[in-house]
Amino acid sequence: LVCELAGSACGCPYDRLVRISRAVSGIEMPGYISSCLSGVIPAVSLPLPQWVRVVTGKSLTSGDEPAANQPAKSDNWAPVVKNSKRQHTAGEGRAFLREFRRLISAARNTKRTGNQLARTRSKLELVKTLQLACESSGWSALQMMLAGWTVHLCRHGTRSKKGLAYSTVEKYSVLVASRLVPVSVNLDVYALDEVAYEEMYLRAIEREEPKRRFELACRLREMHAFFQDVYLMEDLDWSAIMGAAGGRAQTRFAEANIITSAEYRRALTALVDDASLGERRRWQYAGLLLMGFRFNLRFGEALRLRFTDVQRDGEQVYVWVHNSVFAETKSHAGVRVVPLIERLDALETRVLDRLLTAG
C-alpha cells in the first residue's frame, strides 16, 4: 500500500512505515505511551494507569482512597532510637561507614525487574535494607538517625525537590555521614541541646575542604530539618554555621499569624478534654501549649520550667527563664523574665492552677 501511494521511488516500504507510525504515535498518543513504543523508555509492559487512559480516555481511580474525614497516614518512617546505644567509638564509626557504603552500593546494583525504573528499584531496595539494618545491626542512636534520613531522601526527597535520583541520595547521605560520624565520637546524642548540635556541625564544617563547606552546610541543614520533624529537635541559629561555610543563612521573618487565637483555644480544649492522655499528662501538655502561646517560650524552655519559676500575683503572671541543673539557655540573652501581656481566660487559668498546685 505504501509503495502504491508513494510510487516506486520509496524503496523499502518498512522504513517509511516506521517513520509514519512514530509520527502518528507522537501526535495521537500520550507522551509516555509513545516513548514506550519507540523504545525511549525501556518497558516490558505498559503501566495500568496509562493503558486505561488510552483505551477509555479516563484516569484510573483507586477504590481504597481514604475518607475525607480521615487524615492520610504519614509515610515519614524513622527508626526508634530510644533503646539504641547512646554513643559510638571511633572504631564503631568506621565500621558503620563501611557497612553504610556497602548497603548503598548493593542497592544501586540490584537487579531490575518488570517495567520499574532503575532508580526506583534501587531506592526501594535501600529503604528495605536500611530498615532491617536498624533493627539488627546494633548501631548507635546518631547512626540510626542518619539511616532514617537516608530513607526519607529515598521516599520524599528534600524540601525543595521531590523524587531524587539514586545517585543524588547516595551523594547526600554519604557526604553527611562520612563527615558527621567522626566528629560525634563518644558524644551522647540524648544529652545534646541545640548549642551542642551547632558546635558539632561547626566542627564538621571546619574539617571540610573550603570549596565543599557550603554544600556540606546545606546538607546538614536539610538533615536537621528532618530531625526536627521526627525527633522534635529545636531549630538552630544557622548564621554561624553558614558563615563558617562561606555563605549566609537565609533571612527569616517571624510569622505573627502562624496560629490564631481561635486555633490555639481549640487545641487547648482538645488537650484538656482528651481522657486518653491520663490526668497528669493532659495538664502537662496543656501547660506546654499555654507557655508557648502566651509567653512565647521555646519547647525546651517550657519543658524545663519548675513551679518556682512561675510567679503569680492576682492576674499578673511572670515566668523566669534561666539556667538550671537540667539545661542551660541558648545564650546569655535567653535568661529573662517574661510577663503576661494579656489576661488569661477561664480555661487557661484552670490549666495554670493545676500546674502550680501539682508543683
Side-chain angles (χ1 to χ4, degrees):
L1 178 61
V2 174
C3 290
E4 291 180 0
L5 293 175
S8 59
C10 71
C12 179
Y14 299 106
D15 293 338
R16 188 177 182 87
L17 186 61
V18 169
R19 291 196 296 270
I20 294 174
S21 300
R22 286 181 175 175
V24 172
S25 67
I27 296 174
E28 299 294 336
M29 292 187 175
Y32 188 89
I33 302 296
S34 177
S35 300
C36 291
L37 294 176
S38 61
V40 176
I41 297 179
V44 177
S45 61
L46 296 178
L48 182 60
Q50 282 77 10
W51 175 251
V52 171
R53 183 178 291 275
V54 170
V55 175
T56 65
K58 300 178 181 179
S59 61
L60 178 65
T61 58
S62 174
D64 56 353
E65 295 181 354
N69 59 346
Q70 294 181 356
K73 293 184 179 180
S74 175
D75 193 29
N76 203 6
W77 176 85
V80 179
V81 300
K82 180 179 179 180
N83 299 323
S84 60
K85 293 188 298 184
R86 301 169 70 97
Q87 51 189 299
H88 61 269
T89 63
E92 291 172 340
R94 291 190 293 269
F96 164 76
L97 291 177
R98 288 194 299 267
E99 179 67 10
F100 190 60
R101 290 191 176 99
R102 187 190 67 79
L103 295 177
I104 292 177
S105 299
R108 182 180 61 247
N109 299 325
T110 186
K111 184 179 179 181
R112 192 176 69 183
T113 58
N115 62 343
Q116 205 170 49
L117 295 177
R119 68 176 184 181
T120 303
R121 177 64 180 172
S122 297
K123 289 194 289 187
L124 290 175
E125 184 67 21
L126 182 59
V127 168
K128 182 175 67 175
T129 55
L130 286 178
Q131 288 178 338
L132 292 175
C134 288
E135 295 176 358
S136 58
S137 63
W139 288 342
S140 67
L142 182 60
Q143 294 166 354
M144 294 178 65
M145 291 160 64
L146 288 169
W149 179 57
T150 305
V151 170
H152 177 79
L153 291 178
C154 291
R155 288 180 169 176
H156 306 289
T158 63
R159 292 173 294 175
S160 59
K161 184 177 181 181
K162 312 300 180 183
L164 297 179
Y166 187 78
S167 58
T168 305
V169 174
E170 179 179 6
K171 175 184 175 183
Y172 289 177
S173 58
V174 172
L175 173 66
V176 172
S178 60
R179 272 60 173 183
L180 199 58
V181 170
V183 299
S184 59
V185 172
N186 296 326
L187 286 181
D188 185 356
V189 296
Y190 289 110
L192 300 183
D193 57 7
E194 59 270 22
V195 177
Y197 270 99
E198 181 178 339
E199 293 175 352
M200 182 173 64
Y201 294 161
L202 277 173
R203 289 198 300 271
I205 294 293
E206 293 169 354
R207 289 160 56 103
E208 186 61 30
E209 297 179 7
K211 62 181 181 180
R212 298 199 64 184
R213 288 180 177 178
F214 185 73
E215 179 186 3
L216 176 59
C218 293
R219 302 288 79 81
L220 289 173
R221 191 170 190 177
E222 187 69 37
M223 179 197 66
H224 195 82
F226 168 75
F227 290 169
Q228 286 181 254
D229 291 338
V230 299
Y231 296 114
L232 303 181
M233 291 187 180
E234 295 192 19
D235 197 9
L236 308 181
D237 182 6
W238 291 92
S239 57
I241 298 176
M242 302 304 290
R248 64 174 184 173
Q250 183 179 0
T251 304
R252 301 175 62 183
F253 301 94
E255 298 178 4
N257 297 321
I258 193 170
I259 179 173
T260 64
S261 179
E263 292 171 339
Y264 156 72
R265 284 184 167 83
R266 285 199 299 269
L268 189 65
T269 303
L271 285 174
V272 172
D273 295 340
D274 191 354
S276 63
L277 293 175
E279 183 69 12
R280 180 181 179 86
R281 182 160 295 181
R282 62 188 176 125
W283 294 109
Q284 289 178 332
Y285 288 177
L288 289 174
L289 186 62
L290 170 66
M291 292 298 170
F293 187 83
R294 288 301 184 192
F295 297 90
N296 198 26
L297 299 189
R298 298 184 178 93
F299 177 81
E301 294 174 340
L303 187 64
R304 295 189 293 264
L305 283 178
R306 297 176 296 179
F307 76 99
T308 54
D309 298 330
V310 180
Q311 301 296 322
R312 185 177 179 184
D313 183 13
E315 295 182 351
Q316 300 295 322
V317 181
Y318 298 90
V319 176
W320 182 29
V321 182
H322 60 96
N323 299 325
S324 66
V325 295
F326 304 105
E328 296 182 353
T329 58
K330 190 173 182 180
S331 63
H332 294 295
V335 178
R336 63 199 187 278
V337 175
V338 185
L340 175 66
I341 303 301
E342 300 179 358
R343 291 184 178 181
L344 299 179
D345 60 20
L347 179 58
E348 292 172 322
T349 303
R350 183 183 172 196
V351 171
L352 187 60
D353 289 339
R354 292 297 295 265
L355 290 177
L356 295 180
T357 303

